Amino acid sequence: MTVNRVARPDFVRTDVDAVLVAETTVEAAEVLARLEKEPWPAGLVSFNTLASTEGEGTLVYTQWAEGAADPGLVQRVSGSDPVEYRLYRSGNRDNATIPGCIVVVSVEFDGADAQRQRRWVDTVFGALASEEKPAPGGLSGHFHVSTDGTRVLNYAEWTDEQSHRDALARSGRGTVGVSDEWQKVQEFPGVRGGGFRRYRMVRSLSLGLSAKEPA
């Protein structure tokens, strides 16, 4: 078994089934120190540690093989109970570069409804498709739906933090686009809350990949 240090998680790996995500106040360096004391589970495909760009905490994003997700491991190293997701839909810009900023967008609904989760994501993709000039700096969006039917998480990659700030400022209404289709996203029925946080990648470790992190 070989664990490699890479630049980012691979969202097209066919051996990934579940994704466990935890937000914690434990510093990224401490999370990694705790991970080093644990044996690497056979079903853990990747372990990614991200630090808030504003010092607000750490995000742990882990990918797991089918039937192997271990919330206990994530809880032990992060000190926080993870949420289980499945990747539903991704969008990538052509010739995307390695991201300098990760924007994690979270949406919570007023009850469990798997079809509603997917409809919300599809509405976002409709809004993105309606943009005549997509926001510069946006590289990709990877939309996950929680297995309990109540949440959506978008792992969005940007060239840098300022590009995301500029996109929000351009719209003037808290969206990364300016078309009228974004109103459907903002007024989507059943959304109870949401928000975003910007992160930088601290360490991305993946099982069985040959592509090493650029020097």
Side-chain angles (χ1 to χ4, degrees):
M1 181 178 68
T2 302
V3 178
N4 296 315
R5 183 173 176 178
V6 295
R8 59 191 286 271
D10 185 349
F11 296 98
V12 297
R13 286 187 65 151
T14 58
D15 55 347
V16 174
D17 176 54
V19 173
L20 296 180
V21 179
E23 293 181 274
T24 178
T25 57
V26 177
E27 293 187 1
E30 176 60 23
V31 171
L32 290 167
R34 294 177 183 179
L35 179 65
E36 290 179 354
K37 298 177 182 178
E38 296 274 350
W40 186 277
L44 179 58
V45 176
S46 82
F47 190 100
N48 306 274
T49 310
L50 301 89
S52 167
T53 60
E54 298 181 1
E56 297 174 335
T58 302
L59 185 86
V60 175
Y61 178 96
T62 62
Q63 297 173 304
W64 299 81
E66 184 176 1
D70 184 356
L73 171 75
V74 179
Q75 199 283 331
R76 287 194 300 275
V77 300
S78 71
S80 180
D81 292 327
V83 177
E84 183 173 343
Y85 292 91
R86 297 288 189 280
L87 179 64
Y88 167 55
R89 188 173 178 182
S90 291
N92 298 275
R93 190 165 294 181
D94 293 339
N95 301 317
T97 59
I98 298 298
C101 178
I102 309 301
V103 181
V104 176
V105 182
S106 301
V107 175
E108 186 173 358
F109 298 94
D110 60 11
D113 187 332
Q115 291 184 349
R116 179 169 57 183
Q117 290 173 297
R118 288 163 172 75
R119 287 198 306 271
W120 184 87
V121 174
D122 295 341
T123 301
V124 173
F125 271 83
L128 289 169
S130 70
E131 291 293 315
E132 293 184 8
K133 295 181 179 180
L139 300 175
S140 69
H142 306 280
F143 290 79
H144 303 66
V145 293
S146 64
T147 56
D148 66 3
T150 66
R151 307 183 193 191
V152 169
L153 181 145
N154 177 22
Y155 185 111
E157 298 175 310
W158 289 75
T159 55
D160 52 51
E161 183 178 0
Q162 190 58 48
S163 294
H164 183 250
R165 292 184 183 277
D166 290 344
L168 296 181
R170 184 179 68 144
S171 73
R173 59 185 181 187
T175 62
V176 296
V178 298
S179 80
D180 292 338
E181 290 297 305
W182 288 100
Q183 186 173 355
K184 296 179 181 179
V185 178
Q186 292 183 307
E187 298 178 354
F188 193 89
V191 174
R192 182 167 66 182
F196 68 86
R197 186 167 288 176
R198 301 183 187 94
Y199 294 92
R200 60 176 178 83
M201 179 64 71
V202 176
R203 185 73 53 83
S204 181
L205 300 170
S206 290
L207 178 66
L209 295 181
S210 59
K212 300 294 182 65
E213 184 181 33

